[in-house]
Amino acid sequence: MCYHAFNGAFRHYVCVTCRLAFKGSAWPIRKRICTSCREQLAFAGYDFAAPRRRDKKAWSVVAAVLAEGLTYDHRPGCGCSRLPSFRPRTQAQVRVRRRAAERLGLPLSVTLARRDAFTPESRDEQPPSPSTGKRDTDTT
């Protein structure tokens, strides 16, 4: 069963330019507009914890995560899987993951979701390995 469907959780919407966060119900599907700049709000997930408004560094990390299409959900998807998601909290963590994405040739969204930037996780999309010329067959 879906954790968020029965928990009455609210969706979090964010305006990164104004550094504002809003909670909204999941039922009415409509455009969410920032009350300050009148731009459309970005969906940040069910478990988003907004940093202080004056903390520009933390909001730049939030902007980097949301720009890659990731959300702040405690668990991937609807909340039914077992592995909790990781999201960077500091600019240093984002820098390390950007370097890892360049070195490994992976999209930034994959390395931002890893706990350790250079270690693949089970939910990562594995790049195809080069063929070695050997066939993988079972011998019985």
Side-chain angles (χ1 to χ4, degrees):
M1 288 293 169
C2 180
Y3 172 78
H4 296 296
F6 295 106
N7 203 16
F10 286 105
R11 293 178 172 212
H12 294 259
Y13 295 93
V14 174
C15 180
V16 178
T17 57
C18 299
R19 296 189 299 259
L20 293 173
F22 301 95
K23 289 182 184 178
S25 173
W27 295 110
I29 299 173
R30 60 186 174 101
K31 263 188 175 176
R32 306 289 179 161
I33 305 292
C34 176
T35 58
S36 192
C37 67
R38 309 305 286 167
E39 293 291 324
Q40 186 170 357
L41 298 173
F43 174 65
Y46 288 99
D47 299 324
F48 176 72
R52 291 185 181 263
R53 191 170 182 186
R54 63 184 154 225
D55 192 0
K56 293 180 183 179
K57 292 179 182 180
W59 278 100
S60 68
V61 173
V62 170
V65 169
L66 294 178
E68 290 300 317
L70 299 174
T71 58
Y72 288 88
D73 289 325
H74 179 66
R75 301 196 180 276
C78 66
C80 298
S81 68
R82 297 181 182 185
L83 295 173
S85 297
F86 172 81
R87 297 295 178 260
R89 293 172 101 28
T90 63
Q91 288 180 335
Q93 290 176 337
V94 172
R95 278 193 302 270
V96 167
R97 279 152 182 78
R98 281 193 177 133
R99 283 190 214 123
E102 291 172 5
R103 289 182 187 169
L104 300 174
L106 293 172
L108 182 59
S109 60
V110 172
T111 57
L112 282 176
R114 288 181 176 177
R115 292 191 185 281
D116 182 22
F118 292 97
T119 306
E121 293 184 358
S122 61
R123 63 177 166 253
D124 289 346
E125 297 176 24
Q126 297 293 330
S129 61
S131 63
T132 59
K134 295 180 181 178
R135 290 179 19 178
D136 293 313
T137 56
D138 290 333
T139 56
T140 54

